[in-house]
Amino acid sequence: MTQPSNPTPDGPPPVARDIIESARTFRLRMAVIDHECEVALDMTRDRYGRTVHADAATAARDRRGTAAVETYTQYLAPHAEELMDASRRALDELPSAQHLAGWQAVLNGLDASAAEIRRALERPAAGPSAERAQRAALWPHLTAWADHGSLASNLADQHRAQYHQAPLTPEEQQAWTEKARAAQRRGELDLIESWYAADGQHITLAHLVEDDDSTVVALHGDPGAPGWQVIGHYAHELAAGKALFPAVPPGVLRADISRFNRPVPAPEVSLQELLRDVVEAHGAGDASNALLSAVQRGYHAGPMIRLQELVETSGQFAGALETVKGHQIAARLSALGRQIEFLTGEIEDAAEDLGATVAVLPPHRTPVLRVRSRPAVDTTPPTPPPRASTSVRHR
């Protein structure tokens, strides 16, 4: 295991804990602000997701932008420059790894966004319309920090990691690796948690069960592929967390995705509503339309198409894990996506055939009234039947 380099005593001082906590508080507050805005926007839409109260939607976004600027001003603006300096120093001290170029690009983007926000705060807009335009222009920069500021905080906090346990000797590592592989063959190596260290190491914690005794072991490499090794053993997970390299922020499936800038959801009819349409239908055409809505493609895609998209995207995620098990699951999900595609075509054909029958339900399928008639107020209730006498047996 390569030990991380720590700042020398003569080097720049580490970033203060309250600065990292302020950055974390900003991200949490932004999540609350975004949730409150989404709740307000839901009130402006109809049941299919279409905006029907445009003025109220605009007002909700204005409140969101104002709250975001105030939160940044309170928690992050006083510390952004120092946080960026600390994260850049930490990045320069890390060993070479595949992800460092991407991290450098993220830090550059955060730096540029902080500069844009600072310039806007120094020159406040005059007038409601100008303020609204300024908030709209700042929103992408504020969300950049909300989405990716954790990377800067994580880098700035790297110096705080302490590693107390010395690496295993080659003989110990080989013995523990053989023991763990034997447990894996028996089905007694239970994976707990997985993460990546700053130098790109893939670390997985697992319970090694042997003779009704469990030991926490740390694995380096893909547990589903040959070549992984045990790099440490511990009494419990807390001890492992203190001794091992800390986790760095995980990657993303798609680089352009932001939880704060999601596209407006396309109008859609729920599967429950389509099912109700079939139950309440009288003619074959109504049931056919419900089925056709389920397999409709394009902007107004139906549930079957959304299900196929979900399965295929989940397959992409599994493949992006870059593990043996992930690739196997990705292949399974890809095959399931093709099956859903075939099933969708079959449903569409059946729906068209159903509509072509031009038939209605026969009249003998009569409804059952759910409301029972009440007796009149002055009506004497019927006399209940006499209770059957029961003999009492005595001992």
Side-chain angles (χ1 to χ4, degrees), residues 270-310:
S270 70
L271 195 59
Q272 293 186 43
E273 189 165 349
L274 295 177
L275 177 60
R276 187 169 65 244
D277 288 345
V278 175
V279 172
E280 296 174 354
H282 298 288
D286 296 329
S288 172
N289 288 335
L291 283 173
L292 291 174
S293 296
V295 297
Q296 183 175 351
R297 304 175 188 274
Y299 181 70
H300 297 275
M304 285 294 295
I305 305 302
R306 298 299 186 198
L307 175 61
Q308 182 181 354
E309 293 175 355
L310 173 62

mmCIF file of all heavy atoms in Angstrom, residues 270-310:
data_model
loop_
_atom_site.group_PDB
_atom_site.id
_atom_site.type_symbol
_atom_site.label_atom_id
_atom_site.label_comp_id
_atom_site.label_asym_id
_atom_site.label_seq_id
_atom_site.Cartn_x
_atom_site.Cartn_y
_atom_site.Cartn_z
ATOM 1 N N SER A 270 -49.918 7.401 -15.849
ATOM 2 C CA SER A 270 -49.420 6.321 -15.000
ATOM 3 C C SER A 270 -50.013 4.989 -15.419
ATOM 4 O O SER A 270 -51.092 4.904 -16.021
ATOM 5 C CB SER A 270 -49.765 6.605 -13.538
ATOM 6 O OG SER A 270 -51.155 6.470 -13.326
ATOM 7 N N LEU A 271 -49.305 3.928 -15.078
ATOM 8 C CA LEU A 271 -49.784 2.577 -15.379
ATOM 9 C C LEU A 271 -51.075 2.275 -14.629
ATOM 10 O O LEU A 271 -51.963 1.592 -15.150
ATOM 11 C CB LEU A 271 -48.694 1.566 -15.007
ATOM 12 C CG LEU A 271 -48.842 0.153 -15.562
ATOM 13 C CD1 LEU A 271 -48.873 0.165 -17.082
ATOM 14 C CD2 LEU A 271 -47.702 -0.734 -15.065
ATOM 15 N N GLN A 272 -51.213 2.795 -13.423
ATOM 16 C CA GLN A 272 -52.456 2.571 -12.670
ATOM 17 C C GLN A 272 -53.646 3.217 -13.373
ATOM 18 O O GLN A 272 -54.745 2.656 -13.386
ATOM 19 C CB GLN A 272 -52.315 3.151 -11.266
ATOM 20 C CG GLN A 272 -51.304 2.428 -10.397
ATOM 21 C CD GLN A 272 -51.300 2.944 -8.976
ATOM 22 O OE1 GLN A 272 -52.360 3.168 -8.391
ATOM 23 N NE2 GLN A 272 -50.119 3.134 -8.415
ATOM 24 N N GLU A 273 -53.426 4.390 -13.966
ATOM 25 C CA GLU A 273 -54.525 5.052 -14.659
ATOM 26 C C GLU A 273 -54.924 4.275 -15.913
ATOM 27 O O GLU A 273 -56.109 4.156 -16.242
ATOM 28 C CB GLU A 273 -54.129 6.485 -15.021
ATOM 29 C CG GLU A 273 -55.280 7.307 -15.559
ATOM 30 C CD GLU A 273 -54.982 8.792 -15.569
ATOM 31 O OE1 GLU A 273 -53.973 9.194 -14.975
ATOM 32 O OE2 GLU A 273 -55.776 9.532 -16.179
ATOM 33 N N LEU A 274 -53.938 3.735 -16.627
ATOM 34 C CA LEU A 274 -54.254 2.926 -17.812
ATOM 35 C C LEU A 274 -55.008 1.661 -17.405
ATOM 36 O O LEU A 274 -55.937 1.228 -18.108
ATOM 37 C CB LEU A 274 -52.967 2.569 -18.548
ATOM 38 C CG LEU A 274 -52.190 3.744 -19.158
ATOM 39 C CD1 LEU A 274 -50.903 3.250 -19.797
ATOM 40 C CD2 LEU A 274 -53.052 4.468 -20.196
ATOM 41 N N LEU A 275 -54.597 1.054 -16.291
ATOM 42 C CA LEU A 275 -55.307 -0.131 -15.812
ATOM 43 C C LEU A 275 -56.746 0.210 -15.463
ATOM 44 O O LEU A 275 -57.679 -0.546 -15.789
ATOM 45 C CB LEU A 275 -54.575 -0.692 -14.591
ATOM 46 C CG LEU A 275 -55.217 -1.891 -13.901
ATOM 47 C CD1 LEU A 275 -55.329 -3.068 -14.854
ATOM 48 C CD2 LEU A 275 -54.412 -2.284 -12.660
ATOM 49 N N ARG A 276 -56.949 1.371 -14.842
ATOM 50 C CA ARG A 276 -58.313 1.789 -14.502
ATOM 51 C C ARG A 276 -59.131 2.040 -15.770
ATOM 52 O O ARG A 276 -60.332 1.740 -15.820
ATOM 53 C CB ARG A 276 -58.261 3.055 -13.647
ATOM 54 C CG ARG A 276 -59.621 3.460 -13.099
ATOM 55 C CD ARG A 276 -59.503 4.554 -12.058
ATOM 56 N NE ARG A 276 -58.985 5.790 -12.629
ATOM 57 C CZ ARG A 276 -57.822 6.331 -12.286
ATOM 58 N NH1 ARG A 276 -57.064 5.732 -11.385
ATOM 59 N NH2 ARG A 276 -57.405 7.466 -12.839
ATOM 60 N N ASP A 277 -58.480 2.577 -16.818
ATOM 61 C CA ASP A 277 -59.197 2.794 -18.072
ATOM 62 C C ASP A 277 -59.713 1.483 -18.653
ATOM 63 O O ASP A 277 -60.832 1.421 -19.191
ATOM 64 C CB ASP A 277 -58.274 3.479 -19.089
ATOM 65 C CG ASP A 277 -58.007 4.936 -18.735
ATOM 66 O OD1 ASP A 277 -58.751 5.478 -17.890
ATOM 67 O OD2 ASP A 277 -57.057 5.514 -19.284
ATOM 68 N N VAL A 278 -58.913 0.431 -18.531
ATOM 69 C CA VAL A 278 -59.355 -0.869 -19.054
ATOM 70 C C VAL A 278 -60.495 -1.422 -18.214
ATOM 71 O O VAL A 278 -61.489 -1.938 -18.739
ATOM 72 C CB VAL A 278 -58.174 -1.861 -19.095
ATOM 73 C CG1 VAL A 278 -58.648 -3.248 -19.527
ATOM 74 C CG2 VAL A 278 -57.087 -1.361 -20.034
ATOM 75 N N VAL A 279 -60.383 -1.309 -16.896
ATOM 76 C CA VAL A 279 -61.432 -1.836 -16.012
ATOM 77 C C VAL A 279 -62.744 -1.109 -16.239
ATOM 78 O O VAL A 279 -63.827 -1.715 -16.197
ATOM 79 C CB VAL A 279 -60.981 -1.722 -14.541
ATOM 80 C CG1 VAL A 279 -62.122 -2.086 -13.599
ATOM 81 C CG2 VAL A 279 -59.780 -2.625 -14.291
ATOM 82 N N GLU A 280 -62.684 0.195 -16.509
ATOM 83 C CA GLU A 280 -63.894 0.987 -16.689
ATOM 84 C C GLU A 280 -64.379 1.006 -18.137
ATOM 85 O O GLU A 280 -65.413 1.606 -18.431
ATOM 86 C CB GLU A 280 -63.633 2.425 -16.217
ATOM 87 C CG GLU A 280 -63.339 2.523 -14.726
ATOM 88 C CD GLU A 280 -62.944 3.934 -14.307
ATOM 89 O OE1 GLU A 280 -62.800 4.793 -15.205
ATOM 90 O OE2 GLU A 280 -62.773 4.170 -13.092
ATOM 91 N N ALA A 281 -63.656 0.377 -19.047
ATOM 92 C CA ALA A 281 -64.031 0.415 -20.468
ATOM 93 C C ALA A 281 -65.267 -0.439 -20.731
ATOM 94 O O ALA A 281 -65.537 -1.422 -20.026
ATOM 95 C CB ALA A 281 -62.866 -0.063 -21.323
ATOM 96 N N HIS A 282 -66.017 -0.042 -21.763
ATOM 97 C CA HIS A 282 -67.158 -0.829 -22.227
ATOM 98 C C HIS A 282 -66.890 -1.440 -23.600
ATOM 99 O O HIS A 282 -67.401 -2.512 -23.914
ATOM 100 C CB HIS A 282 -68.418 0.044 -22.300
ATOM 101 C CG HIS A 282 -68.833 0.601 -20.985
ATOM 102 N ND1 HIS A 282 -69.399 -0.155 -19.982
ATOM 103 C CD2 HIS A 282 -68.760 1.866 -20.487
ATOM 104 C CE1 HIS A 282 -69.661 0.601 -18.930
ATOM 105 N NE2 HIS A 282 -69.284 1.852 -19.214
ATOM 106 N N GLY A 283 -66.088 -0.749 -24.398
ATOM 107 C CA GLY A 283 -65.812 -1.238 -25.739
ATOM 108 C C GLY A 283 -64.352 -1.616 -25.918
ATOM 109 O O GLY A 283 -63.465 -1.183 -25.168
ATOM 110 N N ALA A 284 -64.100 -2.446 -26.920
ATOM 111 C CA ALA A 284 -62.743 -2.920 -27.186
ATOM 112 C C ALA A 284 -61.812 -1.766 -27.551
ATOM 113 O O ALA A 284 -60.611 -1.809 -27.256
ATOM 114 C CB ALA A 284 -62.767 -3.951 -28.307
ATOM 115 N N GLY A 285 -62.349 -0.720 -28.168
ATOM 116 C CA GLY A 285 -61.515 0.400 -28.569
ATOM 117 C C GLY A 285 -60.890 1.110 -27.379
ATOM 118 O O GLY A 285 -59.726 1.537 -27.437
ATOM 119 N N ASP A 286 -61.650 1.239 -26.272
ATOM 120 C CA ASP A 286 -61.106 1.893 -25.084
ATOM 121 C C ASP A 286 -59.965 1.076 -24.465
ATOM 122 O O ASP A 286 -58.932 1.620 -24.073
ATOM 123 C CB ASP A 286 -62.202 2.100 -24.049
ATOM 124 C CG ASP A 286 -63.286 3.051 -24.538
ATOM 125 O OD1 ASP A 286 -62.952 3.952 -25.333
ATOM 126 O OD2 ASP A 286 -64.457 2.877 -24.143
ATOM 127 N N ALA A 287 -60.140 -0.233 -24.370
ATOM 128 C CA ALA A 287 -59.079 -1.088 -23.849
ATOM 129 C C ALA A 287 -57.875 -1.078 -24.778
ATOM 130 O O ALA A 287 -56.723 -1.081 -24.330
ATOM 131 C CB ALA A 287 -59.597 -2.510 -23.659
ATOM 132 N N SER A 288 -58.124 -1.049 -26.077
ATOM 133 C CA SER A 288 -57.032 -0.988 -27.048
ATOM 134 C C SER A 288 -56.229 0.298 -26.891
ATOM 135 O O SER A 288 -54.996 0.285 -26.928
ATOM 136 C CB SER A 288 -57.595 -1.093 -28.467
ATOM 137 O OG SER A 288 -56.588 -0.847 -29.430
ATOM 138 N N ASN A 289 -56.921 1.421 -26.697
ATOM 139 C CA ASN A 289 -56.216 2.695 -26.536
ATOM 140 C C ASN A 289 -55.336 2.700 -25.291
ATOM 141 O O ASN A 289 -54.243 3.283 -25.291
ATOM 142 C CB ASN A 289 -57.223 3.838 -26.477
ATOM 143 C CG ASN A 289 -57.865 4.106 -27.825
ATOM 144 O OD1 ASN A 289 -57.296 3.804 -28.870
ATOM 145 N ND2 ASN A 289 -59.073 4.670 -27.804
ATOM 146 N N ALA A 290 -55.809 2.064 -24.225
ATOM 147 C CA ALA A 290 -55.000 2.005 -23.006
ATOM 148 C C ALA A 290 -53.717 1.218 -23.247
ATOM 149 O O ALA A 290 -52.624 1.615 -22.809
ATOM 150 C CB ALA A 290 -55.815 1.380 -21.874
ATOM 151 N N LEU A 291 -53.830 0.090 -23.944
ATOM 152 C CA LEU A 291 -52.640 -0.691 -24.261
ATOM 153 C C LEU A 291 -51.694 0.077 -25.177
ATOM 154 O O LEU A 291 -50.467 0.063 -24.981
ATOM 155 C CB LEU A 291 -53.042 -2.010 -24.922
ATOM 156 C CG LEU A 291 -53.588 -3.104 -24.004
ATOM 157 C CD1 LEU A 291 -54.099 -4.275 -24.832
ATOM 158 C CD2 LEU A 291 -52.505 -3.575 -23.039
ATOM 159 N N LEU A 292 -52.241 0.750 -26.169
ATOM 160 C CA LEU A 292 -51.396 1.513 -27.086
ATOM 161 C C LEU A 292 -50.698 2.667 -26.364
ATOM 162 O O LEU A 292 -49.560 3.022 -26.705
ATOM 163 C CB LEU A 292 -52.224 2.038 -28.252
ATOM 164 C CG LEU A 292 -52.730 0.978 -29.236
ATOM 165 C CD1 LEU A 292 -53.667 1.598 -30.267
ATOM 166 C CD2 LEU A 292 -51.554 0.291 -29.936
ATOM 167 N N SER A 293 -51.360 3.252 -25.375
ATOM 168 C CA SER A 293 -50.720 4.307 -24.591
ATOM 169 C C SER A 293 -49.534 3.763 -23.803
ATOM 170 O O SER A 293 -48.532 4.457 -23.604
ATOM 171 C CB SER A 293 -51.722 4.943 -23.627
ATOM 172 O OG SER A 293 -52.763 5.602 -24.335
ATOM 173 N N ALA A 294 -49.627 2.521 -23.355
ATOM 174 C CA ALA A 294 -48.544 1.922 -22.580
ATOM 175 C C ALA A 294 -47.291 1.693 -23.411
ATOM 176 O O ALA A 294 -46.173 1.698 -22.886
ATOM 177 C CB ALA A 294 -49.001 0.603 -21.960
ATOM 178 N N VAL A 295 -47.464 1.500 -24.727
ATOM 179 C CA VAL A 295 -46.310 1.213 -25.596
ATOM 180 C C VAL A 295 -46.000 2.377 -26.531
ATOM 181 O O VAL A 295 -45.207 2.237 -27.453
ATOM 182 C CB VAL A 295 -46.565 -0.071 -26.413
ATOM 183 C CG1 VAL A 295 -46.706 -1.266 -25.486
ATOM 184 C CG2 VAL A 295 -47.813 0.063 -27.285
ATOM 185 N N GLN A 296 -46.611 3.529 -26.278
ATOM 186 C CA GLN A 296 -46.356 4.694 -27.129
ATOM 187 C C GLN A 296 -44.909 5.156 -26.981
ATOM 188 O O GLN A 296 -44.344 5.164 -25.898
ATOM 189 C CB GLN A 296 -47.311 5.832 -26.745
ATOM 190 C CG GLN A 296 -47.177 7.072 -27.614
ATOM 191 C CD GLN A 296 -48.216 8.126 -27.267
ATOM 192 O OE1 GLN A 296 -49.130 7.861 -26.495
ATOM 193 N NE2 GLN A 296 -48.078 9.303 -27.828
ATOM 194 N N ARG A 297 -44.310 5.577 -28.077
ATOM 195 C CA ARG A 297 -42.920 6.023 -28.082
ATOM 196 C C ARG A 297 -42.846 7.534 -28.219
ATOM 197 O O ARG A 297 -43.846 8.195 -28.445
ATOM 198 C CB ARG A 297 -42.146 5.340 -29.221
ATOM 199 C CG ARG A 297 -42.217 3.818 -29.167
ATOM 200 C CD ARG A 297 -41.560 3.180 -30.370
ATOM 201 N NE ARG A 297 -41.790 1.736 -30.401
ATOM 202 C CZ ARG A 297 -41.035 0.849 -29.766
ATOM 203 N NH1 ARG A 297 -39.980 1.268 -29.062
ATOM 204 N NH2 ARG A 297 -41.299 -0.440 -29.819
ATOM 205 N N GLY A 298 -41.633 8.069 -28.097
ATOM 206 C CA GLY A 298 -41.427 9.490 -28.297
ATOM 207 C C GLY A 298 -41.561 10.288 -27.016
ATOM 208 O O GLY A 298 -41.363 9.788 -25.899
ATOM 209 N N TYR A 299 -41.903 11.562 -27.162
ATOM 210 C CA TYR A 299 -41.966 12.478 -26.026
ATOM 211 C C TYR A 299 -42.997 12.027 -25.001
ATOM 212 O O TYR A 299 -42.762 12.125 -23.788
ATOM 213 C CB TYR A 299 -42.306 13.885 -26.534
ATOM 214 C CG TYR A 299 -42.369 14.924 -25.447
ATOM 215 C CD1 TYR A 299 -41.206 15.351 -24.795
ATOM 216 C CD2 TYR A 299 -43.584 15.492 -25.073
ATOM 217 C CE1 TYR A 299 -41.265 16.305 -23.793
ATOM 218 C CE2 TYR A 299 -43.648 16.459 -24.071
ATOM 219 C CZ TYR A 299 -42.483 16.866 -23.438
ATOM 220 O OH TYR A 299 -42.544 17.810 -22.443
ATOM 221 N N HIS A 300 -44.125 11.517 -25.445
ATOM 222 C CA HIS A 300 -45.181 11.024 -24.556
ATOM 223 C C HIS A 300 -45.036 9.507 -24.381
ATOM 224 O O HIS A 300 -46.023 8.773 -24.483
ATOM 225 C CB HIS A 300 -46.558 11.372 -25.110
ATOM 226 C CG HIS A 300 -46.815 12.846 -25.209
ATOM 227 N ND1 HIS A 300 -47.273 13.592 -24.154
ATOM 228 C CD2 HIS A 300 -46.664 13.715 -26.240
ATOM 229 C CE1 HIS A 300 -47.402 14.858 -24.517
ATOM 230 N NE2 HIS A 300 -47.040 14.959 -25.783
ATOM 231 N N ALA A 301 -43.847 9.045 -24.125
ATOM 232 C CA ALA A 301 -43.595 7.607 -24.037
ATOM 233 C C ALA A 301 -44.413 6.986 -22.906
ATOM 234 O O ALA A 301 -44.610 7.581 -21.843
ATOM 235 C CB ALA A 301 -42.113 7.346 -23.812
ATOM 236 N N GLY A 302 -44.884 5.767 -23.166
ATOM 237 C CA GLY A 302 -45.684 5.051 -22.187
ATOM 238 C C GLY A 302 -44.837 4.269 -21.205
ATOM 239 O O GLY A 302 -43.603 4.207 -21.319
ATOM 240 N N PRO A 303 -45.460 3.639 -20.206
ATOM 241 C CA PRO A 303 -44.720 2.922 -19.158
ATOM 242 C C PRO A 303 -43.818 1.811 -19.682
ATOM 243 O O PRO A 303 -42.740 1.595 -19.131
ATOM 244 C CB PRO A 303 -45.841 2.358 -18.268
ATOM 245 C CG PRO A 303 -47.010 3.252 -18.501
ATOM 246 C CD PRO A 303 -46.909 3.679 -19.929
ATOM 247 N N MET A 304 -44.244 1.110 -20.722
ATOM 248 C CA MET A 304 -43.394 0.043 -21.248
ATOM 249 C C MET A 304 -42.102 0.604 -21.826
ATOM 250 O O MET A 304 -41.019 0.027 -21.648
ATOM 251 C CB MET A 304 -44.143 -0.761 -22.311
ATOM 252 C CG MET A 304 -45.187 -1.701 -21.755
ATOM 253 S SD MET A 304 -44.479 -3.058 -20.776
ATOM 254 C CE MET A 304 -43.564 -3.938 -22.054
ATOM 255 N N ILE A 305 -42.177 1.717 -22.493
ATOM 256 C CA ILE A 305 -40.984 2.335 -23.070
ATOM 257 C C ILE A 305 -40.093 2.865 -21.950
ATOM 258 O O ILE A 305 -38.858 2.727 -22.005
ATOM 259 C CB ILE A 305 -41.379 3.467 -24.034
ATOM 260 C CG1 ILE A 305 -42.343 2.941 -25.107
ATOM 261 C CG2 ILE A 305 -40.152 4.078 -24.674
ATOM 262 C CD1 ILE A 305 -41.794 1.789 -25.922
ATOM 263 N N ARG A 306 -40.695 3.466 -20.924
ATOM 264 C CA ARG A 306 -39.900 3.948 -19.793
ATOM 265 C C ARG A 306 -39.231 2.786 -19.059
ATOM 266 O O ARG A 306 -38.093 2.907 -18.588
ATOM 267 C CB ARG A 306 -40.789 4.723 -18.819
ATOM 268 C CG ARG A 306 -41.436 5.963 -19.395
ATOM 269 C CD ARG A 306 -40.423 6.980 -19.853
ATOM 270 N NE ARG A 306 -41.047 8.222 -20.283
ATOM 271 C CZ ARG A 306 -40.469 9.142 -21.030
ATOM 272 N NH1 ARG A 306 -39.220 8.957 -21.438
ATOM 273 N NH2 ARG A 306 -41.105 10.245 -21.374
ATOM 274 N N LEU A 307 -39.930 1.658 -18.960
ATOM 275 C CA LEU A 307 -39.335 0.489 -18.321
ATOM 276 C C LEU A 307 -38.120 0.014 -19.115
ATOM 277 O O LEU A 307 -37.078 -0.327 -18.534
ATOM 278 C CB LEU A 307 -40.365 -0.629 -18.192
ATOM 279 C CG LEU A 307 -39.839 -1.960 -17.648
ATOM 280 C CD1 LEU A 307 -39.292 -1.788 -16.245
ATOM 281 C CD2 LEU A 307 -40.939 -3.020 -17.675
ATOM 282 N N GLN A 308 -38.231 -0.011 -20.422
ATOM 283 C CA GLN A 308 -37.100 -0.423 -21.248
ATOM 284 C C GLN A 308 -35.927 0.545 -21.070
ATOM 285 O O GLN A 308 -34.770 0.124 -20.952
ATOM 286 C CB GLN A 308 -37.504 -0.475 -22.721
ATOM 287 C CG GLN A 308 -36.382 -0.957 -23.634
ATOM 288 C CD GLN A 308 -36.811 -0.982 -25.088
ATOM 289 O OE1 GLN A 308 -37.974 -0.744 -25.416
ATOM 290 N NE2 GLN A 308 -35.869 -1.257 -25.974
ATOM 291 N N GLU A 309 -36.218 1.845 -21.015
ATOM 292 C CA GLU A 309 -35.156 2.829 -20.801
ATOM 293 C C GLU A 309 -34.491 2.618 -19.438
ATOM 294 O O GLU A 309 -33.261 2.721 -19.309
ATOM 295 C CB GLU A 309 -35.728 4.240 -20.886
ATOM 296 C CG GLU A 309 -36.215 4.632 -22.281
ATOM 297 C CD GLU A 309 -36.897 5.996 -22.281
ATOM 298 O OE1 GLU A 309 -37.053 6.571 -21.177
ATOM 299 O OE2 GLU A 309 -37.247 6.479 -23.363
ATOM 300 N N LEU A 310 -35.294 2.315 -18.423
ATOM 301 C CA LEU A 310 -34.753 2.075 -17.089
ATOM 302 C C LEU A 310 -33.826 0.865 -17.091
ATOM 303 O O LEU A 310 -32.718 0.910 -16.525
ATOM 304 C CB LEU A 310 -35.893 1.883 -16.093
ATOM 305 C CG LEU A 310 -35.486 1.458 -14.683
ATOM 306 C CD1 LEU A 310 -34.615 2.514 -14.018
ATOM 307 C CD2 LEU A 310 -36.723 1.173 -13.832
#
